[in-house]
Amino acid sequence: MTGKKAWFLLIFLTLLFFISIAIPAYAINEEIEAKQQEREEIEKKRRDEQSALEQRLNRESALKEELKYLENRIQELRQEQERLAGEIALVEDEISEAEAELAVAEEQLRYQEDLLKLRLRAIQQHGLVTYVEVLLESSSFSDFLTRLYNLSLIASNDLRLIEEIQEERDLIRAWKEELEQKKANLENMRRRVADNEAEMERVSEDRVIILGELQEEITLNLKAIEDLEREAQELDDLIRRLIAEASSRFSGVQGALHYPIEPPTWISSGYGWRRDPFSGAQAWHGGVDMAPHHGAANYILAAADGEVIYSGWNGGYGNCIMIDHGDGTVTLYAHMSSLLVKKSEIVLKGQRIARAGTTGYSTGVHLHFEVREYNQPAVRRYPSGKPDHRYNPMNYF
């Protein structure tokens, strides 16, 4: 073999070697991209389910409060019913008493009227004879006047007594009518309270049905979230495995990381627990915030050699870049104003990859920087129970 042929053979074998490496790597990158897209869709569904769950939990809380109010109101109405029933019973007793007194008065009136009739009848039957006899039997004129006066006095007393009894009877009748009107009013109130109580019970039963349906939906929500989290976890595992395969050319971070933003900057928020700037509640901060002076759009720099596995918008992270450095190490850069590299690009340590900004959940221009060590033990657990592999970036400089 001549020297020229040997060179051609060497070049051909070299090209064949690189092609044999490039083609599988391209295929793996395509698969990673597809799985990450799938992972984002699952995450979106999970957020939607979580949002629906929060709304239903709020509705459940409101329904429970409403049911509590209705139960208290029904109890109050029942007590009102009992009070009215007691008052009605008292009025009924008074009516019975009035009826008894009225019966006595009417009996007295009948008796007195009968007595008067009897006297009048006797006078009518014996008439002048009796009067004449009474008058003739008088021993003197004075006795005569006395007997005449007494006869007129008896008649006057009978009439006065009848008038008094009639007056008493009329008073008792008026009292009885007043009591009956009072009873009628109480009965009306009792019916209205009973109607209100029935309406409250009907509303309460409706709310119980709605609450039951809502709790079934909450159960389905929780099940869907659990399924999506499990699915996302499985995809995470797959993505990590694919990244490991794709980044076999990188063996992890060698030495210290390059500071990921050009100076001048300052640390605006450290790693660990802090008060969330949006909610005000205590929250875990899995990275470090580095802010340029005066809000300038300083360049963002690759912390080490690696492959860009994500470049684009990522929810609360805003414009985001993730670089795989091999051996399970991934660095994340968030909130940038512009991105200078694309997915699958190979970047070198210190290379400019973006400009600082304030996109996503951000209150000012800064870089949120994370270091994720997927081959190392989890630092902690997310509230969902999933492992959190975000380590303190300050330990890598």
Side-chain angles (χ1 to χ4, degrees):
M1 180 178 294
T2 64
K4 189 175 182 180
K5 289 182 178 179
W7 273 109
F8 276 125
L9 180 60
L10 180 61
I11 292 171
F12 175 75
L13 291 175
T14 302
L15 288 173
L16 184 63
F17 172 74
F18 280 109
I19 289 172
S20 66
I21 293 175
I23 289 176
Y26 176 78
I28 290 174
N29 286 338
E30 287 289 313
E31 187 174 2
I32 291 172
E33 185 176 357
K35 294 302 179 186
Q36 285 179 334
Q37 182 65 32
E38 187 177 347
R39 173 70 173 82
E40 289 171 8
E41 290 173 0
I42 290 173
E43 180 59 26
K44 182 178 182 306
K45 289 180 183 177
R46 192 196 66 79
R47 288 197 299 270
D48 291 343
E49 289 287 345
Q50 187 68 39
S51 176
L53 173 64
E54 290 172 0
Q55 292 178 9
R56 287 176 175 131
L57 287 173
N58 290 336
R59 176 67 177 146
E60 180 192 35
S61 177
L63 275 174
K64 286 181 175 177
E65 285 294 322
E66 187 178 1
L67 277 172
K68 186 177 179 182
Y69 165 78
L70 288 171
E71 289 172 2
N72 290 336
R73 184 64 185 139
I74 289 171
Q75 186 63 29
E76 289 174 358
L77 289 171
R78 286 175 179 165
Q79 291 174 352
E80 180 69 6
Q81 283 273 56
E82 293 175 1
R83 186 187 67 78
L84 289 172
E87 286 193 24
I88 289 171
L90 290 175
V91 171
E92 287 174 341
D93 290 343
E94 291 183 70
I95 290 174
S96 298
E97 183 182 351
E99 287 174 343
E101 292 185 18
L102 186 61
V104 171
E106 287 179 342
E107 179 63 25
Q108 289 177 345
L109 185 60
R110 280 194 298 274
Y111 173 77
Q112 200 62 38
E113 286 174 343
D114 290 343
L115 184 60
L116 181 59
K117 288 176 184 176
L118 187 62
R119 285 178 179 160
L120 292 175
R121 192 178 301 115
I123 292 172
Q124 186 179 18
Q125 288 176 353
H126 302 289
L128 297 173
V129 176
T130 304
Y131 272 100
V132 172
E133 288 175 350
V134 171
L135 296 175
L136 291 177
E137 288 175 359
S138 300
S139 58
S140 63
F141 182 72
S142 175
D143 184 40
F144 168 77
L145 291 176
T146 301
R147 286 173 181 260
L148 184 60
Y149 173 75
N150 287 338
L151 284 173
S152 64
L153 186 60
I154 290 171
S156 297
N157 283 340
D158 283 346
L159 287 174
R160 184 180 53 77
L161 186 59
I162 288 172
E163 288 173 353
E164 287 178 355
I165 293 173
Q166 284 177 336
E167 185 178 352
E168 179 68 16
R169 181 198 61 187
D170 293 341
L171 288 174
I172 294 172
R173 279 181 178 171
W175 178 38
K176 182 187 174 186
E177 288 173 359
E178 182 181 349
L179 289 172
E180 287 175 342
Q181 184 59 47
K182 184 177 180 181
K183 179 184 176 184
N185 293 338
L186 288 171
E187 291 286 2
N188 286 334
M189 289 177 62
R190 192 177 181 184
R191 280 193 291 274
R192 286 199 297 272
V193 172
D195 290 343
N196 287 339
E197 182 182 347
E199 177 64 14
M200 289 290 174
E201 288 178 344
R202 186 191 64 74
V203 173
S204 180
E205 289 171 359
D206 288 345
R207 295 298 183 271
V208 168
I209 292 172
I210 294 172
L211 180 61
E213 293 172 349
L214 188 62
Q215 287 174 334
E216 288 180 3
E217 292 174 359
I218 289 172
T219 302
L220 292 176
N221 259 143
L222 291 171
K223 177 70 168 53
I225 291 172
E226 183 181 341
D227 291 345
L228 288 169
E229 285 185 343
R230 186 182 64 255
E231 196 174 342
Q233 183 66 47
E234 291 171 357
L235 268 179
D236 274 344
D237 294 341
L238 177 59
I239 290 170
R240 280 199 293 269
R241 181 174 60 77
L242 291 172
I243 288 173
E245 291 176 8
S247 63
S248 57
R249 75 190 78 180
F250 301 106
S251 56
V253 174
Q254 304 298 319
L257 290 178
H258 193 287
Y259 208 69
I261 183 170
E262 287 184 348
T265 62
W266 59 288
I267 302 297
S268 57
S269 184
Y271 174 87
W273 289 102
R274 68 169 184 176
R275 187 174 296 279
D276 187 89
F278 286 93
S279 66
Q282 285 294 312
W284 180 259
H285 189 220
V288 171
D289 290 346
M290 304 165 175
H293 286 185
H294 310 298
N298 291 11
Y299 280 106
I300 307 303
L301 310 175
D305 296 347
E307 179 181 353
V308 177
I309 59 173
Y310 186 94
S311 180
W313 186 267
N314 188 5
Y317 284 111
N319 284 324
C320 175
I321 289 175
M322 285 189 280
I323 300 176
D324 173 40
H325 305 287
D327 195 27
T329 302
V330 173
T331 52
L332 180 145
Y333 313 74
H335 305 311
M336 282 86 74
S337 60
S338 61
L339 306 175
L340 306 180
V341 294
K342 296 180 180 177
K343 186 175 180 182
S344 301
E345 282 190 35
I346 302 300
V347 295
L348 300 177
K349 186 176 185 177
Q351 178 180 333
R352 290 175 172 177
I353 58 173
R355 300 293 296 265
T358 182
T359 55
Y361 293 148
S362 171
T363 57
V365 176
H366 73 283
L367 167 69
H368 174 79
F369 180 65
E370 295 180 4
V371 176
R372 301 187 176 208
E373 294 278 17
Y374 289 111
N375 287 346
Q376 299 298 323
V379 175
R380 56 187 285 276
R381 295 273 174 183
Y382 288 105
S384 63
K386 293 191 295 184
D388 184 353
H389 292 276
R390 296 174 296 176
Y391 278 67
N392 187 353
M394 300 308 292
N395 295 333
Y396 291 79
F397 299 126

